Amino acid sequence: MAIAPVVNRRDFLKTGAAGGVALVIGFHLSPSAFADQAAEQEKKTPNPFDAWVRITPNNRVTLILGKSEMGQGIMTALPMILAEELCVDWKQVKVQQAPTNPKVYDLGTGGSGSVAGSWLPLRRAGAAAREMLIAAAAQKWEVTTDTCKAADGRVVHGHPQRSLSYGELVEAAAKLPIPNLNTVPLKNSDDFTVVGHDTRRFEGRDKVTGTAKFGIDSRVPGMLFAVVARCPVFGGKVASFDATKTKAVPGVRDVIQFETSGRGASTTGGVAVLADNSWAAIQGRKALEVKWDEGPAAKESSTELHKQFLANAAKPGKVLRSDGDADSALTASPKKIEAVYELPFAPHACMEPMNCTVQIRPDGAEAWVPTQAPQWAQGVIAEASKLPPEKVIVNTTLMGGGFGRRYQADFVMEAAQIAAKTAGKPVMVLWTREDDMQHGFYRPASYHKLHGALDTNGNLAAWKHFQTSTSIAAKWSQKGADDPGLGEFGTGATLPYLTPNIRLEYTLAESSVPRAWWRSVEHSSSGFVVESFVDELAAAAGQDPLAFRLKLIGSDRKIPRFGEDKATPLDTARLKGVLQLAAEKAGWGKPLPKGVGRGIATFFSFNSYTAAVAEVSVKDGAVKVHRLVYAVDCGRPINPDGVRAQVESAAIYGLSAALHDAITIKDGRVEQSNFNDYEMPRIKDTPKTEVYVMMSKEEPTGIGEPGLPVAAPAVCNAIFAATGKRLRRLPIRTGDLA
């Protein structure tokens, strides 16, 4: 399998002329490619697909897809769905990145939604192509379609010797009407031969051999490299600068001041140093003399934010949910506990730093971007270049990690503003690791105060959860400060544990630190808090943590998602299923070596169910995670091997934030700079991780993020089992273990 480059009209016509007639299912290029057909196309009912099929006479099957590959395996999983319904070996399928046309394609890649959102459209596209090919063969043989079948890229009638390849049928099939996509027959899932089977990642070889091309590998003739000097304080601006020494650095070609603005910007702009290569640009920036207007954020610090959290928590918050009377139940309860949890800012720490290459000409612009949101990048470049969006070509490249960071357009905004000033020369804006650590967007810092009450039978009588945080909504919404805060709880607001009294309160904490979506978003906080506190309640009740959870979940039922009327309800049977499977595979209840503790956690997020059991020891103030055992239910797994890989990745990502450093602010600045002071787990630090995938027949759901929320609470609950110490703030500090 290979990735084909983004196609333009000229290349498409050349390909069509060389390959002859092609059967195209729902295949559209952007309006700029077919300018004379664009108006007519817009009159039609919007095409529901975010990926389309193209079959040529040489038996080549191409998937045009508008999703971004950032290491999650989407260019393997989606072709597998297509190949299944087409009845071809999925390895025969080529992948071609879609042009950036939001009127046709659903381009955003995030929220663990690519497979879930593409499942039915891709099946229908593949099935429509299959049925048209069968119909073409039946016409040729003068038989009925029900006597023909598709298999292995051919249509067969009767004896296997009577068959035709898809390529031989494509010209006739192309003349047939496309079946009704809502009623086209889909394969019986019992007959699946591709979906549900372990499949190697198609781009794996290129990545391990170094031939895969990421955004940072983009090269355009005449390209300049740019690095940007940004104010170290969030919101600060350039007061003045002297580029005399910078321009004396060999290879430096220009120095440009620029500004960025809007909620999509993490900085206000800065001074760009343009050079023939990245080294010269970096050295030129070091020589640059800049005076900054630091602005009011220079007074901010993590210490002051913590004080704000305490002040907010000392007063009632805005009530988001109130079932029963939690306060009265707490007052009357014979046994109640209280706990405070705190999580810091966290960076995305993608292995490939942010980068974007842009060329702006009078008649159009082109960009090469490792982005989760090509349509946003297109809009930002169009605004900077004063071109209509259809005149901006965005080539979406492979990404060295995304985690939500590459859904932002700030680095694209910088590149576009700089390229607009270079008289048509292409420019790559390259962030260093330090730039990435100190000028990005971060997981919100949050503070949680919980109260729980138990009745005389050890049942949960009341649950009260107060949260204050630097919310994402307050950063991105024009009325963000008025947001009630329910989004900061996520599915943590839909408690699966039975209790007649629930109360949720929220107070916004103000901060200039940019916040945005971080892997699993609010679930990384809610999962840690909810599953840690449930463990504390189990200990207070004198009950086994697994048995206590199962008891509180109770009988099988569907729980409506609080505050999300149209969302998929939480299925307690599936939640219990992953809990019991993880416990069974981990040997829950069996003896462990001395000094080793076992902890468990479960959570529902992105419509998927996860549970994890951790085995942990503590020695000389150091935490050692020996083993992690996961059970996951993400509906029908397309590529079980890919599911396991994503859960392992999420586990390491979650452990990194739980066991190592935080992003801290002092004098309005991020104190950390690189992996020397924001430590990531090394191979020796990563535990043996086992992932058990439930082979469900439910619709596929998300898996890129749901593995993360349970990692930290499982580990912290295991630390309690081993040492008796409760850990309520992350990352884990040696002092908290004493």
Side-chain angles (χ1 to χ4, degrees):
M1 181 178 286
I3 304 175
V6 174
V7 68
N8 59 34
R9 182 172 184 265
R10 181 177 297 171
D11 290 340
F12 177 77
L13 293 175
K14 286 180 180 178
T15 302
V21 179
L23 172 60
V24 180
I25 305 296
F27 181 82
H28 294 276
L29 294 183
S30 68
S32 60
F34 287 109
D36 54 342
Q37 299 178 16
E40 183 64 26
Q41 187 183 98
E42 293 305 316
K43 295 178 183 177
K44 298 178 181 178
T45 302
N47 197 310
F49 298 117
D50 57 16
W52 291 270
V53 179
R54 183 169 184 257
I55 303 173
T56 56
N58 60 359
N59 271 335
R60 180 175 181 177
V61 180
T62 302
L63 167 64
I64 314 299
L65 104 155
K67 298 299 180 185
S68 303
E69 176 62 69
M70 52 184 157
Q72 82 280 38
I74 208 64
M75 284 186 173
T76 304
L78 296 189
M80 288 175 69
I81 300 170
L82 174 66
E84 186 67 76
E85 288 292 346
L86 268 176
C87 298
V88 297
D89 183 339
W90 82 274
K91 294 176 183 176
Q92 291 180 244
V93 177
K94 306 295 180 182
V95 177
Q96 184 169 287
Q97 196 73 40
T100 302
N101 181 3
K103 293 180 180 179
V104 176
Y105 298 97
D106 177 13
L107 295 154
T109 307
S112 299
S114 293
V115 167
S118 302
W119 168 247
L120 188 56
L122 276 180
R123 290 192 69 189
R124 287 172 170 171
R130 182 192 70 226
E131 293 303 303
M132 293 172 74
L133 290 160
I134 289 174
Q139 284 185 359
K140 190 177 184 70
W141 291 322
E142 298 183 345
V143 298
T144 59
T145 56
D146 61 351
T147 62
C148 304
K149 66 176 183 179
D152 298 325
R154 305 183 72 84
V155 177
V156 181
H157 176 257
H159 191 278
Q161 293 300 316
R162 192 179 192 186
S163 69
L164 292 167
S165 72
Y166 287 173
E168 292 173 291
L169 294 167
V170 68
E171 184 173 357
K175 299 175 183 178
L176 299 176
I178 298 174
N180 185 326
L181 298 173
N182 293 316
T183 59
V184 65
L186 303 177
K187 285 180 70 172
N188 187 316
S189 62
D190 293 337
D191 299 328
F192 283 174
T193 58
V194 179
V195 167
H197 296 267
D198 287 346
T199 304
R200 288 185 179 182
R201 291 273 295 277
F202 87 89
E203 85 280 22
R205 180 182 295 273
D206 286 347
K207 286 182 175 178
V208 299
T209 58
T211 57
K213 300 299 182 185
F214 294 83
I216 205 168
D217 299 316
S218 299
R219 295 293 182 270
V220 182
M223 184 177 84
L224 296 174
F225 291 81
V227 296
V228 177
R230 305 170 185 88
C231 183
V233 175
F234 292 113
K237 299 180 179 180
V238 176
S240 64
F241 72 95
D242 184 346
T244 304
K245 294 179 181 178
T246 296
K247 291 181 178 180
V249 173
V252 169
R253 297 301 172 194
D254 204 355
V255 179
I256 296 173
Q257 182 179 353
F258 68 97
E259 295 182 358
T260 55
S261 62
R263 290 183 176 270
S266 60
T267 71
T268 59
V271 181
V273 177
L274 286 74
D276 294 332
N277 54 69
S278 58
W279 176 255
I282 292 170
Q283 297 309 305
R285 182 173 65 174
K286 288 180 179 179
L288 192 65
E289 297 177 359
V290 187
K291 292 182 180 179
W292 302 104
D293 174 2
E294 295 184 348
K299 299 177 182 178
E300 284 200 35
S301 69
S302 293
T303 300
E304 291 303 313
L305 180 60
H306 179 72
K307 291 178 181 177
Q308 187 184 163
F309 285 161
L310 295 178
N312 289 346
K315 300 172 290 186
K318 182 183 293 184
V319 178
L320 306 182
R321 180 177 182 182
S322 183
D323 300 353
D325 190 340
D327 287 333
S328 295
L330 284 162
T331 300
S333 173
K335 183 172 289 186
K336 48 185 171 282
I337 64 170
E338 177 181 342
V340 169
Y341 300 89
E342 189 169 2
L343 296 94
F345 293 114
H348 296 81
C350 304
M351 288 298 103
E352 178 193 15
M354 299 304 105
N355 63 89
C356 177
T357 302
V358 178
Q359 182 173 22
I360 296 175
R361 304 175 307 274
D363 60 341
E366 190 165 6
W368 294 261
V369 196
T371 176
Q372 294 175 244
Q375 73 282 16
W376 194 359
Q378 183 186 58
V380 164
I381 296 168
E383 183 177 359
S385 62
K386 296 180 173 56
L387 291 166
E390 59 267 23
K391 292 289 186 180
V392 178
I393 298 171
V394 174
N395 302 290
T396 303
T397 68
L398 291 175
M399 286 172 264
F403 318 123
R405 177 63 181 95
R406 284 192 158 93
Y407 221 111
Q408 316 308 320
D410 56 318
F411 55 100
V412 182
M413 194 180 297
E414 289 185 342
Q417 291 291 339
I418 296 166
K421 299 173 185 265
T422 60
K425 272 190 170 292
V427 176
M428 174 189 280
V429 168
L430 178 65
W431 289 41
T432 64
R433 176 63 56 200
E434 290 78 8
D435 293 337
D436 238 11
M437 197 70 72
Q438 297 179 333
H439 298 285
F441 293 86
Y442 307 89
R443 180 186 68 181
S446 62
Y447 182 96
H448 307 252
K449 184 166 68 174
L450 284 92
H451 296 82
L454 299 168
D455 64 19
T456 53
N457 296 317
N459 296 312
L460 185 58
W463 177 281
K464 185 176 179 180
H465 183 171
F466 167 89
Q467 179 181 177
T468 179
S469 67
T470 59
S471 86
I472 293 174
K475 163 66 181 172
W476 292 99
S477 171
Q478 292 294 335
K479 296 183 178 179
D482 299 325
D483 183 80
L486 191 59
E488 295 298 299
F489 285 85
T491 48
T494 306
L495 201 67
Y497 302 114
L498 288 166
T499 179
N501 304 292
I502 301 176
R503 186 177 180 88
L504 304 180
E505 298 179 6
Y506 181 79
T507 299
L508 173 68
E510 296 181 358
S511 174
S512 65
V513 177
R515 292 88 60 193
W517 312 282
W518 187 87
R519 192 170 188 172
S520 84
V521 201
E522 67 275 1
H523 306 298
S524 73
S525 302
S526 288
F528 170 65
V529 172
V530 169
E531 284 302 295
S532 294
F533 194 59
V534 167
D535 223 66
E536 296 205 41
L537 288 164
Q543 298 181 33
D544 172 80
L546 171 62
F548 184 72
R549 283 174 171 81
L550 293 172
K551 181 181 77 168
L552 290 189
I553 293 172
S555 59
D556 296 347
R557 66 196 195 283
K558 302 286 181 68
I559 306 176
R561 298 261 285 277
F562 184 78
E564 303 176 79
D565 295 337
K566 296 182 180 180
T568 303
L570 190 161
D571 188 334
T572 60
R574 296 174 71 181
L575 190 69
K576 288 191 294 184
V578 293
L579 258 175
Q580 292 166 327
L581 180 60
E584 174 195 340
K585 295 298 185 180
W588 187 266
K590 293 182 179 179
L592 286 167
K594 185 178 179 180
V596 178
R598 188 182 278 131
I600 194 166
T602 188
F603 206 65
F604 169 71
S605 62
F606 302 95
N607 295 328
S608 294
Y609 303 81
T610 56
V613 175
E615 294 177 6
V616 178
S617 65
V618 179
K619 184 178 180 181
D620 299 328
V623 175
K624 175 69 175 178
V625 183
H626 300 275
R627 185 186 182 206
L628 273 176
V629 179
Y630 270 89
V632 300
D633 179 351
C634 58
R636 183 182 296 278
I638 307 304
N639 180 8
D641 186 59
V643 170
R644 288 188 287 269
Q646 290 220 64
V647 175
E648 291 168 359
S649 166
I652 293 172
Y653 204 80
L655 288 178
S656 176
L659 298 176
H660 297 289
D661 295 305
I663 286 292
T664 56
I665 309 298
K666 184 178 181 181
D667 299 327
R669 297 159 164 80
V670 171
E671 293 189 279
Q672 291 70 33
S673 62
N674 208 314
F675 293 141
N676 63 310
D677 52 12
Y678 189 91
E679 188 177 354
M680 304 288 284
R682 272 49 173 185
I683 291 176
K684 65 180 179 61
D685 303 320
T686 57
K688 176 184 179 183
T689 304
E690 304 163 34
V691 181
Y692 297 92
V693 182
M694 306 280 274
M695 300 305 290
S696 170
K697 291 188 177 181
E698 298 284 346
E699 293 288 298
T701 51
I703 199 57
E705 297 166 280
L708 190 146
V710 294
V715 167
C716 290
N717 293 339
I719 290 172
F720 173 76
T723 67
K725 299 289 184 182
R726 280 289 176 197
L727 300 178
R728 301 187 179 102
R729 60 175 180 166
L730 298 179
I732 296 168
R733 298 163 174 83
T734 301
D736 294 337
L737 296 167

